[in-house]
Amino acid sequence: MAAAAGQVGQAGRAEQVPDQASLRAAVLGTGAWGTTFAAVLADAGCQVTLWGRDERVRDQILLEHRNDRYLAGVVLPDAVVATTDAAAAVADVDLVAVAVPSQVARATLTPLRGALADRAVVVSLMKGVELSTDRRMSQVVAEALGIADERVAVLSGPNLAREIADRQPTATVVASTSAATADLVARACASSYFRPYTHDDVVGVELCGAVKNVIALAVGISQGRGLGFNTMATVITRGLAEITRLGRALGAQPETFPGLAGMGDLMATCASPDSRNHGLGVHIGQGMSLDEATAATGGTAEGVKSSRSVLELADSVGVEMPITAAVVQVLHEGLPVDQLASLLLGRPRKAEGV
């Protein structure tokens, strides 16, 4: 198998790395996406240690190569093992993928400061903005682990875990300020069914991943109220306009937003019944409380908490995000769901491009 092009050291300098077949990786988080990405890495030729806190999940992965709690019916590659010891998982690996809920990322990663090898790069699979700090996940990763930005990458795209676990073809975007880091992560996960493209727009790719969850909640709520495809198309396209406005205000590249990380991921998350954010929104639209909808969804819907931090981030740079604001009001401020549509469409008329 081809050798990886390079790895980034502590100061961001490219260093020689082993052949890809011998790359060692750790994935933090045994949820559906973390488990799926561990399988993706293994299928691409890596040796993978999957970390989580649940001993029952660990034991089933070790003994049966399955994780029925989060990914029922999927057999994991033999190259995936599991542990409940995070420090042991990340010790002497070439790549660490972080797939924990975004709001616990800092608490999960801070105890691992100093535990990674100097050569290791870290890729964030998380899609959110941290509450109280409004920091993007790549910033949280670098701060919590005490590593240079050049050692951090983000991965985002139309990546519904269940479809990838079934090895259905998909593409994704790996972004980093370091071309060597982005290339290493892309090489580590590339396979016959998983096609990574590299990018240097970390801000744009991350914001697309975070805000699309909020837009998917709005689409789900509207569909839960019985609204149809016209409404869905309106929310998706105007949602993309919101993401683009925020991204450009924060220095993102305009061409990121109509691509895989932007429109591609937005379409998949807003349309798929496998999307937890879309599903939770449907439950809310059907009249469930947030607690009831969360229980019915059976997993973390990142957009619920990130909606508030995304709105705070937008306010801090003077960007209007009416769909995001309406979702925040419905989920966190008691706005009746029947008033959502009027909020989305009741703003002053203007030209479409603004």
Coordinates of all heavy atoms in Angstrom, one line a residue, residues 163-205:
E163 N -25.3 4.6 6.6 CA -25.0 4.3 5.2 C -23.6 3.9 5.0 O -23.2 3.0 4.2 CB -25.4 5.5 4.4 CG -26.9 5.7 4.3 CD -27.3 6.8 3.4 OE1 -26.5 7.4 2.7 OE2 -28.5 7.2 3.5
I164 N -22.7 4.7 5.7 CA -21.2 4.4 5.5 C -20.9 3.0 6.2 O -20.1 2.3 5.6 CB -20.4 5.5 6.2 CG1 -20.7 6.8 5.5 CG2 -18.9 5.2 6.1 CD1 -20.1 8.0 6.1
A165 N -21.5 2.7 7.3 CA -21.3 1.4 8.0 C -21.7 0.3 7.1 O -21.1 -0.8 7.1 CB -22.1 1.4 9.3
D166 N -22.7 0.5 6.2 CA -23.1 -0.5 5.2 C -22.3 -0.4 3.9 O -22.6 -1.1 3.0 CB -24.6 -0.2 4.8 CG -25.5 -0.6 6.0 OD1 -25.1 -1.4 6.9 OD2 -26.7 -0.1 6.0
R167 N -21.2 0.5 4.0 CA -20.3 0.6 2.9 C -20.9 1.1 1.6 O -20.6 0.7 0.5 CB -19.5 -0.7 2.6 CG -18.6 -1.1 3.8 CD -17.9 -2.4 3.7 NE -16.9 -2.6 4.7 CZ -17.2 -3.1 6.0 NH1 -18.5 -3.3 6.3 NH2 -16.3 -3.3 6.8
Q168 N -21.9 2.0 1.8 CA -22.4 2.7 0.6 C -21.5 3.9 0.2 O -21.0 4.5 1.1 CB -23.8 3.3 0.9 CG -24.9 2.2 1.3 CD -26.2 2.8 1.5 OE1 -26.6 3.9 1.0 NE2 -27.1 2.1 2.3
P169 N -21.3 4.1 -1.1 CA -20.3 5.1 -1.5 C -20.7 6.5 -1.0 O -21.9 6.9 -1.0 CB -20.4 5.0 -3.0 CG -20.9 3.7 -3.3 CD -21.9 3.4 -2.2
T170 N -19.7 7.2 -0.5 CA -19.9 8.6 -0.1 C -18.5 9.4 -0.3 O -17.5 8.7 -0.4 CB -20.4 8.8 1.3 OG1 -20.8 10.1 1.5 CG2 -19.3 8.4 2.3
A171 N -18.6 10.7 -0.2 CA -17.4 11.5 -0.2 C -17.4 12.4 1.0 O -18.5 12.6 1.6 CB -17.3 12.3 -1.5
T172 N -16.3 13.0 1.4 CA -16.2 13.8 2.5 C -15.1 14.9 2.3 O -14.4 14.8 1.3 CB -15.9 13.0 3.8 OG1 -16.1 13.8 5.0 CG2 -14.5 12.5 3.8
V173 N -15.0 15.8 3.2 CA -13.9 16.9 3.1 C -13.1 16.8 4.3 O -13.6 16.8 5.4 CB -14.5 18.3 2.9 CG1 -13.4 19.3 2.8 CG2 -15.4 18.3 1.6
V174 N -11.8 16.8 4.1 CA -10.8 16.9 5.2 C -10.1 18.2 5.1 O -9.4 18.5 4.1 CB -9.8 15.7 5.2 CG1 -8.7 15.9 6.3 CG2 -10.4 14.4 5.3
A175 N -10.2 19.1 6.1 CA -9.7 20.4 6.0 C -8.7 20.6 7.2 O -8.9 20.2 8.3 CB -10.8 21.5 6.1
S176 N -7.6 21.3 6.8 CA -6.6 21.6 7.8 C -5.8 22.8 7.3 O -5.7 23.0 6.1 CB -5.6 20.4 8.1 OG -4.6 20.8 9.0
T177 N -5.2 23.6 8.2 CA -4.3 24.6 7.8 C -3.0 24.1 7.3 O -2.2 24.8 6.6 CB -4.0 25.6 9.0 OG1 -3.4 24.8 10.1 CG2 -5.2 26.3 9.5
S178 N -2.7 22.8 7.5 CA -1.5 22.1 7.0 C -1.9 21.1 5.9 O -2.7 20.2 6.2 CB -0.8 21.4 8.1 OG 0.1 20.4 7.6
A179 N -1.3 21.3 4.7 CA -1.6 20.4 3.7 C -1.2 19.0 4.0 O -1.8 18.0 3.6 CB -1.0 20.8 2.4
A180 N 0.0 18.8 4.7 CA 0.5 17.5 5.1 C -0.5 16.8 6.0 O -0.7 15.6 5.9 CB 1.8 17.6 5.7
T181 N -1.1 17.5 7.0 CA -2.0 16.9 7.9 C -3.3 16.5 7.2 O -3.8 15.4 7.4 CB -2.4 17.9 9.0 OG1 -1.2 18.2 9.8 CG2 -3.5 17.4 9.9
A182 N -3.8 17.4 6.3 CA -5.0 17.0 5.6 C -4.8 15.8 4.7 O -5.6 14.9 4.6 CB -5.5 18.2 4.7
D183 N -3.6 15.7 4.1 CA -3.3 14.6 3.2 C -3.1 13.3 4.0 O -3.6 12.3 3.6 CB -2.0 14.9 2.4 CG -1.7 13.8 1.4 OD1 -2.5 13.7 0.5 OD2 -0.7 13.1 1.5
L184 N -2.5 13.4 5.2 CA -2.4 12.2 6.0 C -3.7 11.6 6.4 O -4.0 10.4 6.3 CB -1.5 12.5 7.2 CG -1.4 11.3 8.2 CD1 -0.8 10.1 7.6 CD2 -0.7 11.8 9.5
V185 N -4.6 12.5 6.9 CA -5.9 12.0 7.3 C -6.7 11.5 6.1 O -7.3 10.4 6.2 CB -6.7 13.2 7.9 CG1 -8.2 12.7 8.3 CG2 -6.0 13.7 9.2
A186 N -6.6 12.1 4.9 CA -7.3 11.6 3.8 C -6.8 10.3 3.3 O -7.6 9.4 3.0 CB -7.2 12.6 2.6
R187 N -5.5 10.1 3.4 CA -4.9 8.8 3.0 C -5.3 7.7 4.0 O -5.5 6.6 3.6 CB -3.4 8.9 2.9 CG -2.9 9.7 1.7 CD -1.4 9.9 1.7 NE -0.9 10.6 0.6 CZ -0.4 10.0 -0.5 NH1 -0.4 8.7 -0.6 NH2 0.0 10.7 -1.5
A188 N -5.4 8.1 5.2 CA -5.7 7.1 6.3 C -7.1 6.6 6.2 O -7.4 5.5 6.7 CB -5.5 7.7 7.7
C189 N -8.0 7.3 5.6 CA -9.4 6.9 5.5 C -10.0 6.6 4.1 O -11.1 6.2 4.0 CB -10.3 7.9 6.3 SG -10.4 9.5 5.5
A190 N -9.1 6.8 3.1 CA -9.6 6.6 1.8 C -9.8 5.1 1.5 O -8.9 4.3 1.8 CB -8.6 7.2 0.8
S191 N -10.9 4.7 0.9 CA -11.2 3.3 0.5 C -12.1 3.3 -0.7 O -12.4 4.4 -1.3 CB -11.9 2.6 1.6 OG -13.2 3.1 1.8
S192 N -12.5 2.1 -1.1 CA -13.3 2.0 -2.3 C -14.7 2.6 -2.2 O -15.3 3.0 -3.2 CB -13.5 0.5 -2.7 OG -14.1 -0.2 -1.6
Y193 N -15.1 2.8 -1.0 CA -16.5 3.4 -0.7 C -16.4 4.8 0.0 O -17.4 5.5 0.1 CB -17.4 2.5 0.1 CG -16.9 2.2 1.5 CD1 -17.3 3.0 2.5 CD2 -16.0 1.1 1.7 CE1 -16.8 2.7 3.8 CE2 -15.6 0.8 3.0 CZ -16.0 1.6 4.1 OH -15.6 1.3 5.3
F194 N -15.2 5.2 0.4 CA -15.1 6.4 1.2 C -14.1 7.3 0.5 O -12.9 7.0 0.6 CB -14.7 6.1 2.7 CG -15.0 7.3 3.6 CD1 -16.2 7.5 4.1 CD2 -13.9 8.1 4.0 CE1 -16.4 8.6 5.0 CE2 -14.1 9.1 4.9 CZ -15.4 9.4 5.4
R195 N -14.5 8.4 -0.1 CA -13.6 9.3 -0.9 C -13.4 10.6 -0.2 O -14.3 11.5 -0.2 CB -14.2 9.5 -2.3 CG -13.5 10.5 -3.1 CD -12.1 10.0 -3.5 NE -11.4 11.1 -4.3 CZ -11.4 11.2 -5.6 NH1 -12.2 10.4 -6.3 NH2 -10.7 12.1 -6.2
P196 N -12.2 10.8 0.4 CA -12.0 12.1 1.0 C -11.3 13.1 0.0 O -10.5 12.8 -0.7 CB -11.0 11.8 2.2 CG -10.3 10.6 1.7 CD -11.2 9.9 0.7
Y197 N -11.8 14.4 0.1 CA -11.2 15.5 -0.6 C -10.5 16.4 0.4 O -11.0 16.5 1.5 CB -12.2 16.3 -1.4 CG -12.8 15.5 -2.6 CD1 -13.9 14.7 -2.4 CD2 -12.3 15.7 -3.9 CE1 -14.4 14.0 -3.5 CE2 -12.9 15.1 -5.0 CZ -13.9 14.2 -4.8 OH -14.5 13.5 -5.8
T198 N -9.4 17.0 0.1 CA -8.7 17.9 1.0 C -9.1 19.3 0.8 O -9.4 19.7 -0.4 CB -7.2 17.6 1.0 OG1 -6.7 17.9 -0.3 CG2 -6.9 16.2 1.4
H199 N -8.9 20.1 1.8 CA -9.3 21.6 1.7 C -8.4 22.3 2.8 O -8.0 21.7 3.7 CB -10.8 21.7 2.0 CG -11.4 22.9 1.3 ND1 -10.9 24.2 1.4 CD2 -12.5 23.0 0.5 CE1 -11.6 25.0 0.6 NE2 -12.6 24.3 0.1
D200 N -8.3 23.6 2.6 CA -7.6 24.4 3.6 C -8.6 25.3 4.4 O -8.1 26.1 5.2 CB -6.4 25.2 3.0 CG -6.9 26.2 2.0 OD1 -8.1 26.3 1.6 OD2 -6.0 26.9 1.4
D201 N -9.9 25.3 4.0 CA -10.8 26.2 4.7 C -11.4 25.5 5.9 O -12.6 25.0 5.9 CB -11.9 26.5 3.7 CG -12.9 27.6 4.2 OD1 -12.6 28.1 5.3 OD2 -14.0 27.8 3.6
V202 N -10.7 25.5 7.0 CA -11.1 24.9 8.2 C -12.4 25.6 8.8 O -13.4 24.9 9.2 CB -10.0 24.9 9.3 CG1 -10.5 24.4 10.6 CG2 -8.8 24.1 8.8
V203 N -12.4 26.9 8.7 CA -13.5 27.7 9.3 C -14.8 27.3 8.5 O -15.9 27.0 9.1 CB -13.3 29.2 9.2 CG1 -14.5 30.0 9.6 CG2 -12.1 29.6 10.1
G204 N -14.8 27.3 7.2 CA -15.9 27.1 6.4 C -16.5 25.7 6.6 O -17.7 25.4 6.7
V205 N -15.5 24.7 6.5 CA -16.0 23.3 6.6 C -16.6 23.0 8.0 O -17.6 22.4 8.1 CB -14.8 22.4 6.4 CG1 -15.1 20.9 6.7 CG2 -14.3 22.4 4.9

